[in-house]
Structures are given as C-alpha cells and as structure tokens.
Amino acid sequence: MSKFVFVTGGVSSSLGKGLTASSLGRLLKCRGLRVTMCKLDPYINVDPGTMNPGEHGEVFVTDDGGETDLDLGHYERFIDESLNRNSNTTTGSIYKAVIEKERRGDYLGKTVQVIPHVTDEIKERVRRLARDDVDVVIVEIGGTVGDIEIVPFIEAIRQFRRDVGRDNVCYIHLTLVPYLVPSGEQKTKPTQHSVTELRSRGIQPDVIVCRSDQPISDGLKRKISLLCDVPIEAVVSAVDASSIYEIPLVLYDQGIDGYVCRTLGIDAAAHPIDLSNWEALVNRVESVERPVRIGIIGKYVNLPDAYLSVVEALRHAGFHHGVKVVFDWIDAETVPDLLGSERLHILDGVVIPGGFGERGVEGMVAAAAYTREHEIPCLGLCLGLHVMVVDAARNLAGLENANSSEVDSLTPHPVIDLMDDQLDVTDKGGTMRLGAYPAMLVPGSVVARAYGAEVVSERHRHRYEFNSRYQGRLEEAGLVCSGTSPDRRLVEFIELPQDVHPFWLGTQAHPEFKSRPDRPHPLFRELVGAALERAEGREPPLFDVDLLDTVR
Ligand code: GLN
C-alpha cells in the first residue's frame, strides 16, 4: 500500500515548499522507492490556465494536456517522472466536481457541506494517486496555514491519517526562522505560532523544516523540539542553498529522508540511499564558471517565474556545457529602442518564449530579425516561433505587413492563424492545443540532428498555428519547415540552414517542460552550445561586468 507525506507551510509564502517536497521526493527515489507527487492549491480557479503568468508564474503543461501549477515542473525535474493533470487539484476543481455531483443527484436528500462532501472530494483526489506501483505519494498543500482558503484542505489531510492509519501518513511543516539583525539572533516564535495554528486544526507535525539563511544551532533545534513537541532529529535545518539542485543534499545531511521512512514504517536499511548521480550533478552545477549570456525577450520579464521552466532548461544546458547561463531579462516592448545597442549585441544567445496577446509582439519580431541578421543563436518557443515566421515572411519573403492574426486580425498575410477546423475543436472553452503531440522531423535538419531522432513528442499550449498556405512561399525565401505533425498539416519546427545561420530555430511546442537537470533538452543544449561558440569567438572575450546590472 502507498504511504502519504503531506507538506504544509507556515509563517510566509514563497519559503520553497515545492522545492522541499521535490527534494524529499528525490531522496526517496534515491532510496529506490517509487514516488509520485501532487499539489493541492486552495485558489478558486479550476486550473491556473486562466491566470496571468506575470502574477502567478508559469503554467506548467503535462503530457495529457493538464494546465498545472509551476511546482509540478519542480516535481518532474526532481523526481524525474512525468506527471499528469491528476497531480494538481484546486479548490475550483473540487467545488466544480461537488456541484456537478449535486446536480446529478449523487447526494440526493443531503445538505451538501464542506465536511464531509468537499473534504471527501479532496481525499479522493489524493487517494487516486495511490497505485500499486507507487510507494510514497507526496502531497504539497499550497498557501500558508492560517489562510482562509486552506482550511478544507487541512481538515481533509487531518482526516486522511484516521482513514489510512497513523503509520501511513507523515506531516511535514515548513516554517521560517528569521534572523533579527538588531538582536543578532534567530527567532523561533513564528515557528511556534504556526505550529500552534496547525495544531488548532488537529494536526501535530511529525517533521518541522526550518528555512533560514544561516544553519540552525542545536540549541535552537532543542527549543523548537520542546515547544513544538517533535523529536530533535525531526527538526530540520534547511539553510539557503546556492542552487536549488543542492537542496536534496542539504536535507539529506539533516537526515530527513531516514526520519520520514521511520515515521512511515519503511525499513530505511532495506532501502539504502544512492546519491552518487545527484552528487555528480551538483558537482557539475558548482563547477560551472564561464558565463554565457542569454537574453530572454518576453512580456512577463518582471516576474521571472513566468518563464521558470525556460530558465531551468537553459541552466540544465549550461550544466551540460560547463557554463554558467547569465540571464538578461529584456522587456519585448523595449526592443525597438535597443536595436543597435550594446545590450543586444553582447548577447551570446536569445530565447523568445511563449506568450499571449498583442503587447510586445512587434518587439519580439524585431528581436527575431536582429538575431537572424546578426547571427545570434536564437530559439523561439511557441509565440517565439510565430514571431520568427512573421519576421521571415516580412523580411525574407517580402510579404508586407505579414502578421499573426492573433495580433492583427486584418493582416493581408496571416502567416500565423487559427486552425480550429484542423483541430476539430467543438468546445469553445477548450480551443487550445494542449499536451503532447508527435512531430516528424526532416532527416538531416538542424532539429533532427539535435534530437538524434526523426519522430519526437513535445507538449503544446496554444491556439494559433503556422498557416500552411504560406509554407511554399516561405520555403522559397529560405525558411526550412523542419518538422510537421504526422499528417503533415501542421508545421511544428522551423529553422534556417546551418550554412546561413549558426542556430535559428523555432518550435510550436514548449520543449522546456521536458528538460531535466541531468538530461538537458536537446534544443536548449544546442542553443547554449551555439551561444558558447559565439562567446568564445569574441576577441577579446566580451563580458562587461557593468552590464551585469541588467541581469537578475
Ligand atoms: N498566443 C499564441 C497562441 O495561442 C502562442 C501561445 C504560446 O506561446 N504558448 O497560439
């Protein structure tokens, strides 16, 4: 039978609950246990697909087309398993299901209430993940203990231990131990308060993970142990790490995985840990020094979490090449003013990521043209492919005012257009092409050589497609359509041949979702490889520290 770990957070949001949960997942996997993960999100959206990425961060897409919380990206990258839409549940999706059941008459005669109907639905979502091939289900509860919206979730996970038995559940509570400069001390009071809040809902944590910038002393651990009623070895000091990939090692040093196994009645000795691969990865991460400067030209650059998987995929590629990827976040709207400036010129590579709506698109088209003309390696992701095609249409094929009809519905040349008929979409609420789709690559193309394969599968999230009516004209102008859907109706990859440009490639998909720290995605690997060549080709090497203030 599967065991369950519930991870809650207190004191403050953004303490890294997702990374803590993911890191524990990695450690348990390194012990040979089979792990799956899920996130319970207390907000009312049915899924995060309708939220602004500039506010909430990236929408992570699973193979089955689930639009999910960005923490699922961390889960996949850390536990190296592909998850599905069942791994993310929101208050909205719970209520939607409960209300549908009520309308169907499933609760006929009953008053439908938070307890038991909503809590039963939450428990059912968690229970669903427990399969024969899963030893441990790790469940992260979004939000912070004390939030209004979190209460039904806390109640559901409280009941869960009664339902499945004490030894099958472990509660981990993550808190903040701040350092107060005036008194020169680390403070445990916020932790005490947040544990009190959790207890008031009937949950006594088994493990307390304390986030802090300095390690927590044994004295402080003793204090937390006494006041919060957990054994001292269950007070874990999770000090800030220099890379997120180091966190599993930080937690391992604190013995968290062994303790969780004991709580769950898993014989840790029968599952010895093998951390060698992860340690090798972290050594690689720490040894990268040579900088490669990548510009991310998008519209949500004020919140880098909006491009979380893109950033991680670039980092993974950097680990592979032994280089440190330095990011320059460039607001697409400012690009027209930057043309000809040092800021663009010194980029070693560019990513034009996905996005929706009109704002910033002209700047992205200008950026695509600039990288093409100045031989700067460029990777376009989804909207990125769209703007590359628009640039090729206008500037290579001479199609004046060519555009995507998403941006200009009256364009004389809608080189990117809605293809609803091809997609056989009947439900207007779900007009996006979502999830994994296969593509066939042209043998010998840049993309086929990068993947080392001719059939690939990538995740999608978009409405607009390359308009195949223009394919002939664009190809005559030099653009290569190097990958299509198996029926050849949809263009999935475009590129310039390598004798024309070192690397200029766009994909209709979001390959960033499939990159793993020890297995960089081939397209990001090739982009960073080409960027490294550009960086090395500079005489003298150009890396102006003064310009680093543009880098976050
Ligand atoms: N807005 C574009 C579309 O819907 C691109 C979407 C994206 O970049 N994910 O097709």
Side-chain angles (χ1 to χ4, degrees), residues 25-35 135 270-274:
R26 179 75 244 171
L27 293 176
L28 297 179
K29 275 209 78 172
C30 287
R31 286 186 176 273
L33 295 164
R34 296 161 305 174
V35 176
D135 297 314
H271 296 278
I273 198 155
D274 177 4

Side-chain angles (χ1 to χ4, degrees), residues 374-385:
H374 293 81
E375 299 194 358
I376 300 176
C378 177
L379 176 62
L381 308 169
C382 203
L383 182 62
L385 171 139

Side-chain angles (χ1 to χ4, degrees), residues 239-419:
V239 66
D240 292 349
S242 56
S243 147
I244 58 171
Y245 298 108
E246 222 184 286
I247 301 172
L249 303 182
V250 170
L251 293 180
Y252 174 71
D253 279 344
Q254 294 283 309
I256 191 173
D257 52 307
Y259 190 82
V260 167
C261 284
R262 280 210 295 289
T263 312
L264 294 173
I266 295 171
D267 181 1
H271 296 278
I273 198 155
D274 177 4
L275 276 175
S276 50
N277 287 343
W278 200 264
E279 278 167 346
L281 168 77
V282 173
N283 286 338
R284 263 206 317 283
V285 173
E286 280 171 355
S287 62
V288 298
E289 267 172 19
R290 200 206 183 306
V292 158
R293 188 179 179 89
I294 303 285
I296 307 225
I297 301 186
K299 57 191 284 191
Y300 314 115
V301 289
N302 290 332
L303 182 70
D305 265 4
Y307 303 116
L308 184 60
S309 293
V310 174
V311 167
E312 291 308 321
L314 284 165
R315 288 197 175 125
H316 303 163
F319 305 157
H320 172 87
H321 291 289
V323 298
K324 179 174 175 54
V325 176
V326 178
F327 297 94
D328 189 1
W329 297 93
I330 301 177
D331 181 343
E333 284 185 293
T334 66
V335 171
D337 299 331
L338 294 175
L339 295 174
S341 73
E342 185 75 339
R343 182 151 175 210
L344 291 188
H345 177 67
I346 64 160
L347 294 175
D348 299 315
V350 162
V351 173
I352 307 178
F356 291 82
E358 198 190 320
R359 186 171 64 82
V361 170
E362 273 309 315
M364 292 180 209
V365 176
Y370 185 89
T371 57
R372 183 177 49 73
E373 287 162 0
H374 293 81
E375 299 194 358
I376 300 176
C378 177
L379 176 62
L381 308 169
C382 203
L383 182 62
L385 171 139
H386 294 181
V387 299
M388 290 168 111
V389 171
V390 170
D391 162 50
R394 290 180 190 171
N395 302 318
L396 294 179
L399 300 171
E400 240 176 86
N401 294 322
N403 215 329
S404 159
S405 56
E406 179 181 17
V407 178
D408 176 5
S409 56
L410 301 174
T411 171
H413 298 294
V415 288
I416 303 292
D417 204 359
L418 275 181
M419 296 281 143

Side-chain angles (χ1 to χ4, degrees), residues 70-101:
L70 51 73
D71 272 317
L72 269 79
H74 286 315
Y75 302 168
E76 288 204 354
R77 288 185 282 271
F78 276 72
I79 66 170
D80 200 5
E81 300 280 344
S82 287
L83 303 172
N84 59 41
R85 61 173 77 243
N86 290 339
S87 283
N88 196 188
T89 288
T90 69
T91 295
S93 75
I94 296 282
Y95 272 82
K96 187 165 180 270
V98 168
I99 290 169
E100 275 165 10
K101 286 184 185 168

